[in-house]
Amino acid sequence: MTLREMFLLLFPKLDDVLIYTNKTGVNQHGAAWVPVERFELERWLGIMINKTRYRDLSVRDYFSVGFKMGVNPGPGLVRFMSFRRFSAIKLALAFEDPALVGNSDPWWRISSFIKNFSTRRAACFSAGWKICIDESMFKWKGAGLPHLSWIKRKPEPFGCELWSVCCVETGVMLFLEINEGAARNHMKEWHDEYGATTSTTLRCCKPLFNTGRTVYADSWFSSYKTAAALLENGLYFVGNVKTAHRHFPKAHLKAELAQHDRGYYQTLTTDDGHIAALGWHDHHHKTFVFTNGVSSRGRDAQRRRQDEFGNTVPKTVACPAVLNDFYESAHKIDDINRHRQDMLGLEYAYQANGIVQGGSDCWLRMKICLISVVVVDTFNCWLAFGPPSARRSGPVGRKPTFASIIDQLCAELINAESPERRAGRPSAPVTVLSSLSCNTHNGHVLERLGMGIVKKVDSPRCGQKFQIKQKC
């Protein structure tokens, strides 16, 4: 399987994108529009992605033959496609039928693509046993989007927010859902029953119900209610509880941790033993809810401190094993977004600041960001499933760089040939996989809450009865 074939396997319904792009082109240019063929759309995608390697060049210089970068010639991609044709396809690019203009869904231009994205992942990819859920941001500071979100802690805090689910082992995105604003979110599935955060977690994890996987989440998604709802649907949960502490013994855990030194932790469970609450005294008092994990001591947390002479010295802090898995898994989507925004930077290659007064450019930005997600997924899939000989670069066992894999993907897409050119010569045998599977899920033994009960505790701010399972 080549990189191009893997990219096309992960790209949702490229043939539909081709049809909608040609319809939009006809609407914009009338009879003057030259229909885009499949190979030409693939070539356009390769040229667009390759622009990230030349961020400082204007798009026109990127195509010019006579342009030079110092003493070296420029990319000169006009030999594959003219600048005028590239710009026309970019403006006509459509992920949905343009006949749906005026639809009651304000996100109709990208909503079906996102739905097909999640359906495609469920059909062609089987994730490992660790799942991460978090927010992703598509930067946008201008007008045109139906709703804008602000998350201060994100590198790009302002723009379109998408709730995202990924496989921790491979880094492949499994599910996306747009934060459409409070009014529209209230009409979505499970909101009336569970509220905003738990219903969002359930919708995002619905394709994985009854698979026995473990979901790792930050504090926005984490609560006793979320852990209980996922457990009822065959999924385990580990999350950091901060503000959503209803039915959770946060007050008891905080009071207990304050009486002990750093490294102390305590685990409580519900009467039936299915849900556990954990308090850990690190630099701050931290509380967690989990339904799968080992509450005994795991690998110590590594910290750095300064001694009395100002020298940096290592310091170890006792840490329960369940938190070892949590801190290795809960940041996975942040790693994916770092690859998409910083290392690839496709959304910045054509619109430098995203401050455009108008409605069309914002949708182009959203489409480019979604294509970026597929590109990063292709990179992660190549590292996980590509042939060993193709995944090595230089010394045996050394992984290729992100830039080298993206260069190879762009070369394969740009060199896509038309059926007429391929007809005159024999085609090389190609093996196309219909699905990809992360094999760490099969045969993995899930360890659930193995310590004995010590005593029952009633938290003064919690209506649930928890039992102490372990102190350390």
Side-chain angles (χ1 to χ4, degrees):
M1 182 180 237
T2 65
L3 265 171
R4 169 182 167 271
E5 291 166 346
M6 190 171 287
F7 175 80
L8 297 178
L9 173 65
L10 296 173
F11 199 101
K13 295 191 176 182
L14 184 62
D15 290 332
D16 288 352
V17 174
L18 178 64
I19 293 172
Y20 301 147
T21 299
N22 279 320
K23 284 186 176 181
T24 305
V26 171
N27 293 341
Q28 292 176 349
H29 302 276
W33 175 256
V34 179
V36 180
E37 298 183 36
R38 170 66 180 261
F39 84 94
E40 190 179 15
L41 183 58
E42 291 181 25
R43 180 172 293 178
W44 180 88
L45 287 168
I47 293 174
M48 182 190 64
I49 297 168
N50 190 61
K51 176 66 172 64
T52 62
R53 304 289 287 150
Y54 304 93
R55 296 188 190 183
D56 296 335
L57 292 184
S58 68
V59 181
R60 188 173 293 277
D61 290 338
Y62 178 58
F63 282 87
S64 175
V65 175
F67 180 79
K68 289 189 176 183
M69 302 171 60
V71 297
N72 299 317
L77 291 182
V78 70
R79 62 187 187 276
F80 297 104
M81 182 180 293
S82 69
F83 170 72
R84 183 175 181 179
R85 179 63 169 170
F86 177 86
S87 301
I89 296 176
K90 183 180 73 171
L91 294 177
L93 182 68
F95 288 171
E96 185 53 275
D97 192 338
L100 294 179
V101 173
N103 193 303
S104 59
D105 180 9
W107 300 89
W108 66 271
R109 293 174 179 84
I110 59 173
S111 58
S112 65
F113 183 91
I114 292 176
K115 180 180 179 181
N116 293 334
F117 177 96
S118 304
T119 303
R120 184 69 168 171
R121 290 298 183 276
C124 75
F125 183 81
S126 178
W129 74 277
K130 292 182 178 181
I131 303 299
C132 175
I133 180 171
D134 205 346
E135 305 95 347
S136 297
M137 293 297 296
F138 291 173
K139 178 184 176 182
W140 184 256
K141 297 181 180 179
L145 289 181
H147 176 74
L148 291 173
S149 300
W150 167 265
I151 304 179
K152 185 178 181 179
R153 68 182 182 275
K154 294 295 183 182
E156 297 292 353
F158 198 65
C160 175
E161 178 188 3
L162 287 90
W163 295 303
S164 313
V165 176
C166 81
C167 168
V168 172
E169 271 76 18
T170 59
V172 175
M173 285 287 195
L174 305 176
F175 187 91
L176 297 174
E177 180 182 319
I178 303 173
N179 179 0
E180 302 182 36
R184 291 187 60 83
N185 290 339
H186 287 178
M187 298 185 291
K188 294 183 178 179
E189 187 177 16
W190 290 311
H191 187 278
D192 293 339
E193 181 179 358
Y194 291 105
T197 57
T198 301
S199 63
T200 298
T201 308
L202 289 174
R203 289 194 304 271
C204 291
C205 298
K206 186 176 181 180
L208 304 171
F209 279 0
N210 300 313
T211 61
R213 292 177 169 89
T214 302
V215 180
Y216 295 86
D218 65 12
S219 61
W220 191 88
F221 301 90
S222 300
S223 65
Y224 172 88
K225 183 166 56 174
T226 297
L230 287 177
L231 195 60
E232 290 176 358
N233 290 281
L235 290 175
Y236 300 112
F237 183 80
V238 182
N240 182 16
V241 177
K242 291 183 179 178
T243 57
H245 51 78
R246 186 179 183 184
H247 302 315
F248 183 82
K250 183 176 180 180
H252 169 81
L253 289 173
K254 292 274 189 179
E256 191 74 17
L257 295 177
Q259 301 175 17
H260 296 82
D261 295 332
R262 188 175 185 181
Y264 174 84
Y265 58 88
Q266 184 180 94
T267 306
L268 313 176
T269 67
T270 53
D271 292 335
D272 57 12
H274 291 163
I275 302 177
L278 170 66
W280 180 42
H281 188 171
D282 188 20
H283 182 61
H284 303 286
H285 298 164
K286 300 177 181 179
T287 53
F288 301 84
V289 61
F290 67 102
T291 56
N292 179 35
V294 179
S295 56
S296 58
R297 183 168 178 172
R299 298 187 307 275
D300 290 346
Q302 302 299 317
R303 300 290 185 264
R304 292 184 298 175
R305 291 294 178 266
Q306 290 185 341
D307 61 15
E308 55 185 327
F309 303 105
N311 300 317
T312 300
V313 295
K315 177 181 176 62
T316 59
V317 179
C319 180
V322 64
L323 296 189
N324 295 150
D325 288 335
F326 173 80
Y327 284 112
E328 290 174 355
S329 306
H331 62 81
K332 192 62 180 182
I333 287 180
D334 291 334
D335 292 343
I336 296 172
N337 289 330
R338 180 175 59 85
H339 278 83
R340 174 179 60 83
Q341 293 177 322
D342 297 337
M343 300 181 68
L344 183 63
L346 183 58
E347 57 233 64
Y348 312 125
Y350 298 96
Q351 300 176 24
N353 53 19
I355 304 176
V356 179
Q357 299 300 322
S360 60
D361 288 324
C362 67
W363 297 113
L364 176 60
R365 168 64 68 86
M366 297 302 106
K367 295 167 191 173
I368 289 177
C369 289
L370 289 170
I371 293 172
S372 300
V373 174
V374 180
V375 173
V376 175
D377 280 353
T378 304
F379 164 74
N380 288 322
C381 275
W382 188 251
L383 293 183
F385 306 109
S389 59
R391 287 187 281 122
R392 296 194 184 108
S393 176
V396 175
R398 179 182 175 185
K399 290 183 179 180
T401 64
F402 181 79
S404 65
I405 291 181
I406 298 304
D407 286 346
Q408 182 181 346
L409 171 62
C410 293
E412 293 181 10
L413 289 173
I414 291 173
N415 290 315
E417 295 182 340
S418 64
E420 292 77 10
R421 293 190 60 181
R422 288 197 302 264
R425 57 181 176 78
S427 58
V430 175
T431 302
V432 179
L433 299 180
S434 59
S435 64
L436 303 168
S437 177
C438 181
N439 58 13
T440 59
H441 178 64
N442 299 327
H444 185 88
V445 179
L446 300 177
E447 300 178 84
R448 297 192 63 248
L449 308 179
M451 305 305 296
I453 296 173
V454 179
K455 66 177 182 178
K456 295 182 179 180
V457 173
D458 287 329
S459 173
R461 296 185 61 187
C462 172
Q464 296 290 315
K465 287 186 177 181
F466 282 79
Q467 303 162 345
I468 296 180
K469 296 210 76 174
Q470 183 178 6
K471 292 182 179 180
C472 181

